[in-house]
Amino acid sequence: MGTAERVLGPHAAERLRESPAAQRLRRTWQVLMDASPPEPPEEEPGEVVDPRAIDLVLRVGELLLASGESTERVNEAMLSLAVAYELPGCEVQVTLTSILVSAHPGKGAPPMTGTRAIRRRTPAYWRLTALHKLVQDASIGMLELDEAHQRLAEIKRGRAPYPAWLLVMSLGLISASGSVLAGGGPLVATTAFGATLVGERTGAILARRGIAEFFQLAVAAAIGAGAAALVVSVGSPGQAAAIVTGAILALLPGRPLVASIQDGITGDLVSAGARVLEVFFIIAALVAGLGAVVYLAVSLGAPIDVSHLPTAPATLQPLGVIAAAAISLTFAISLAAPREVLVAAALGGALIWVLYVLARGWGLPPVLAAAMAATVVGVLANWLARRQGQPVMPLVVPAIGPLLPGTALYRGMVELNTGHPDTGVLSLIGAVSVALALGAGVNLGGELVRAFQSVGLSASGRWARPAARRTRGF
């Protein structure tokens, strides 16, 4: 007989092993040793599958993905709806171009599967907020299935919170604000605004004629670079870079960049790879348009060189901070973000610019400075989004707008076409590195908030999150 049994009775050892303190100790030991907890036993599912529930899950996931949400959030929303409407043994698969939902009734009954293709993706961040609210209400039992279908139909029929002309003008306003941030004045801002609007309308005409988006973006970038070359030819080379910076800023892929890195970090590698290719082809189109015009201008004798290109500012100027806030504000409008997030988006743009300039003043290179600023903004944006129960994309994507590397792309093209190919390639690599650092930084901020929150997925189901499972590459 052991010591515990002699002192506390014959079943003392068993009671001690099953005590709450002993169970907590075992769980702590499992976490420290990185041992996965035992899988919960599978419950025998029911035999009834409501096809309307599968249809709702599919349509909500389709609209979320088409409106610009990340793959992991779409997965979470669809699984939440599947649980809310009691779909047995539900499996969800989401990629960039299609979604699939399968319910397994069990007991020999055949599974029911539905799939939908994502043929068109148009950023509409106001829809994300409405759809997340629908999912939240359904998850706590406040929506019957018919009511959920009715609300989804209202969301699909709904209109953006801004008129169509403002959505178009917002791209020009992004360019004007970006040119001011790069050191331009009122005339430069007006030129960038006009060049961007002409490029955007030209792209729309090409789209109506069935021309691929790659060439639409290349033409839009070429128009912006053409305006800069015209300014150089009339004797103002110092303003050309500011015009191109503004014009390119409205075309840079901030939204797919953030989503691609988030998908890669969370383990959705198929979607991440597709989004990275999307970012690559967008940047390639911009580089092609810029390069063609710069090469033609240099060949015709335009005095384009790198001596007039702006560098990162070492001091903070009120006009620069206001321009950064204006970039994020107009960026949010162009993405059709809800009106409620416009102030937060503008503040995020001003903050990320201030942090970046301070980090550059401390001697950090551009990539590290961008990553640090984006991480801080990512933490604040994710905290605010979770506090308000809203999606985070409408906050973080506009906030990184002021740091998107328009000037670096232009510098690389100028260097490539003026006899400095090695330096030009390094400038282009630096531009891509800054863009990746921005995406990684805002996602790191989200992971930090997730790690220290006391409610939600991080607290109640850390082991259930696919991105948290340690596979070590296997």
Side-chain angles (χ1 to χ4, degrees):
M1 181 178 295
T3 305
E5 293 183 1
R6 289 196 303 269
V7 176
L8 300 176
H11 302 291
E14 182 178 353
R15 290 198 300 270
L16 184 61
R17 284 193 299 269
E18 300 300 328
S19 65
Q23 292 178 4
R24 285 195 299 270
L25 183 60
R26 283 198 297 270
R27 285 196 297 268
T28 303
W29 177 254
Q30 288 176 341
V31 171
L32 291 175
M33 297 304 296
D34 195 29
S36 298
E39 295 289 338
E42 294 188 3
E43 298 180 359
E44 184 66 26
E47 297 182 358
V48 179
V49 176
D50 192 339
R52 297 178 306 155
I54 289 185
D55 184 61
L56 177 70
V57 174
L58 279 171
R59 291 182 181 276
V60 169
E62 175 193 18
L63 197 55
L64 278 170
L65 197 59
S67 299
E69 187 57 281
S70 65
T71 304
E72 185 183 35
R73 297 299 184 187
V74 176
N75 265 297
E76 291 177 358
M78 294 174 69
L79 289 174
S80 297
L81 287 176
V83 172
Y85 295 111
E86 300 179 350
L87 286 177
C90 187
E91 296 288 344
V92 172
Q93 185 176 15
V94 180
T95 64
L96 187 62
T97 57
S98 65
I99 56 176
L100 180 143
V101 177
S102 181
H104 299 263
K107 297 182 180 179
M112 181 175 291
T113 301
T115 183
R116 293 187 73 87
I118 313 300
R119 294 183 174 86
R120 184 176 181 181
R121 291 179 289 119
T122 303
Y125 281 174
W126 67 272
R127 279 201 180 105
L128 296 186
T129 302
L131 288 168
H132 277 274
K133 178 63 174 161
L134 185 155
V135 173
Q136 291 170 5
D137 291 346
S139 299
I140 59 178
M142 293 180 60
L143 280 180
E144 296 294 334
L145 187 56
D146 291 335
E147 296 173 342
H149 272 286
Q150 182 178 358
R151 187 188 291 189
L152 178 61
E154 294 173 354
I155 294 173
K156 293 187 70 173
R157 290 195 303 266
R159 295 181 177 272
Y162 317 105
W165 63 266
L166 182 57
L167 295 177
V168 174
M169 296 283 285
S170 63
L171 296 175
L173 294 173
I174 292 173
S175 296
S177 303
S179 64
V180 172
L181 188 63
L187 181 60
V188 171
T190 303
T191 305
F193 178 84
T196 300
L197 286 188
V198 172
E200 197 279 333
R201 289 295 87 194
T202 304
I205 293 173
L206 294 176
R208 285 196 292 268
R209 293 182 173 273
I211 304 300
E213 187 180 16
F214 180 92
F215 299 103
Q216 299 172 29
L217 292 170
V219 169
I223 290 174
L230 183 62
V231 170
V232 171
S233 65
V234 298
S236 300
Q239 305 296 332
I243 294 174
V244 174
T245 297
I248 296 301
L249 194 63
L251 303 174
L252 286 172
R255 175 184 55 84
L257 175 69
V258 173
S260 65
I261 295 180
Q262 184 170 359
D263 287 349
I265 290 174
T266 56
D268 295 303
L269 300 181
V270 174
S271 294
R275 291 186 193 271
V276 167
L277 282 176
E278 181 183 27
V279 171
F280 169 79
F281 278 109
I282 291 175
I283 294 178
L286 301 181
V287 168
L290 278 175
V293 172
V294 172
Y295 175 79
L296 180 61
V298 171
S299 301
L300 294 176
I304 296 178
D305 55 42
V306 297
S307 62
H308 63 272
L309 294 179
T311 58
T315 60
L316 290 173
Q317 298 292 336
L319 183 60
V321 176
I322 295 173
I327 290 173
S328 294
L329 176 64
T330 51
F331 205 166
I333 293 174
S334 71
L335 294 171
R339 297 176 186 271
E340 295 77 15
V341 306
L342 293 183
V343 174
L347 292 176
L351 177 62
I352 200 171
W353 180 253
V354 169
L355 293 174
Y356 175 78
V357 174
L358 290 176
R360 294 289 287 139
W362 297 333
L364 292 180
V367 174
L368 290 181
M372 185 205 73
T375 301
V376 175
V377 170
V379 168
L380 295 176
N382 279 272
W383 172 81
L384 181 62
R386 291 180 182 275
R387 182 180 179 86
Q388 296 180 349
Q390 295 180 351
V392 72
M393 295 294 276
L395 294 172
V396 299
V397 172
I400 68 172
L403 298 188
L404 290 174
T407 301
L409 286 177
Y410 180 56
R411 176 185 291 273
M413 285 296 95
V414 171
E415 290 168 339
L416 284 175
N417 291 280
T418 54
H420 303 85
D422 295 340
T423 309
V425 170
L426 291 178
S427 295
L428 293 178
I429 293 175
V432 174
S433 300
V434 169
L436 294 176
L438 291 173
V442 294
N443 283 289
L444 174 59
E447 295 297 312
L448 292 175
V449 172
R450 184 188 293 271
F452 293 102
Q453 67 178 348
S454 58
V455 295
L457 182 63
S458 175
S460 60
R462 290 187 176 96
W463 291 98
R465 188 187 183 203
R469 296 172 184 168
R470 300 189 66 189
T471 64
R472 296 177 178 85
F474 293 102

